[in-house]
Amino acid sequence: MRRRRIILDCDPGRDDALAIAMVLASAAEIELVGITAVAGNVPLALTYRNARFICDLCGFPGVAVHAGADKPLAREPVTGTRAHGESGLEGMEVDMRPGAVEPGGATAFMNETLRIAADDEITLVAIGPLTNVAALVAESPALLPKIRQIVLMGGASRAGGNVTPTAEFNVYADPHAAARVLDCGRPMTIISLDATHQVLTSPARAERLARAGSEPARRLAALLRPAVHSRTARFGPDRLPIHDPCTIAWLLQPELFKTESVPVAVETEGTHTLGATVVDWWGVTGKPPNAHWVTEADGEGVLDLLIECIGRL
Ligand code: RIB
Ligand code: CA
């Protein structure tokens, strides 16, 4: 079977790091064309450093990592340091200092990759705020047919938000970018909190990864344990929803998930609802579906796959 060619746009970020490791461990199924970093969980200099650090840790120092947007399109920047720590990789020893980064290289890399690709050749996997992808959509509409599919972690409907009662972090951090991407017309699969809240780690899972055998697995196992401030009453003291790796699990084993085709819009103005992803479950708007919304995830199956992948590194 032909490998899927992907660009991974991310804001590492504890769960982003696990997603990167899963991709690197799945070279037989996925060709990682490159990684683009975006400001999100932590500022761009740190998301870029963290992406670079995880590739090196997993034994892939040659992976192309490009720095993208250092701030959202229109709103004031927000970060996710509460859940990810000041470094973005709380729980891990990060022995790589952040350097100066030139923002904007990500869209140049995306443009060039699409320019030389065939139609429907490149899958964009977006697991951070959508600022880089929105810039690509605005700058190069003629290249959009080269995008086979956009697979994104973001949004929330029935699960409720994780940064406000209605908004999930990636969409809340840049709602204008999310709205632009959702309207770009390319096939889109959205893995929101509705799905990722069904994928909850446990101390036993973290222990299993730590014992999987490889040095990367031992060090990455810390990311399956909640960061100090992310322990919430919602999931209990030692359970943690694993968000970003669900996108890679969907690419590798889509049978672990169920989806529904629905129209989805993003609130870009609301006082109480800014960043909400509004899903028209019953077709009352009369609008055509613009996304495959993942409604169910086999949490145990996703975690088994994550451990199997990262244990191979
Ligand atoms: O809401 C979860 C998402 O926000 C994940 O991508 C996490 O890394 C943060 O970016
Ligand atoms: Ca992320």
Side-chain angles (χ1 to χ4, degrees), residues 11 15-16 41 84 127-128 153 162 168-170 193 243-244:
D11 64 331
D15 55 332
D16 304 70
N41 288 318
H84 297 268
I127 55 177
M153 191 278 135
N162 61 359
E168 174 278 328
F169 177 81
N170 286 338
L193 301 183
H243 307 292
D244 295 338

Side-chain angles (χ1 to χ4, degrees), residues 219-297:
R219 294 184 62 182
L220 289 164
L223 304 180
L224 284 180
R225 296 185 179 94
V228 173
H229 296 296
S230 63
R231 292 184 177 92
T232 62
R234 185 166 186 178
F235 301 110
D238 53 16
R239 308 282 279 174
L240 178 74
I242 292 297
H243 307 292
D244 295 338
C246 288
T247 58
I248 312 308
W250 186 84
L251 290 176
L252 294 170
Q253 292 184 14
E255 64 275 13
L256 293 173
F257 302 88
K258 287 188 180 151
T259 62
E260 268 185 57
S261 292
V262 287
V264 185
V266 178
E267 178 55 69
T268 56
E269 304 294 334
T271 303
H272 307 287
T273 57
L274 177 67
T277 41
V278 183
V279 180
D280 180 8
W281 293 108
W282 302 107
V284 294
T285 63
K287 289 184 176 173
N290 59 345
H292 299 289
W293 186 273
V294 176
T295 55
E296 287 181 46

Side-chain angles (χ1 to χ4, degrees), residues 1 20 43 53 57 78 97 111 128 142-143 182 195 198 208 230 261 275 290 293:
M1 182 181 71
I20 292 171
F53 168 72
L57 171 71
V78 290
R97 293 177 59 76
N111 273 296
L143 294 178
L182 276 175
Q198 300 171 39
R208 233 180 88 197
S230 63
S261 292
N290 59 345
W293 186 273

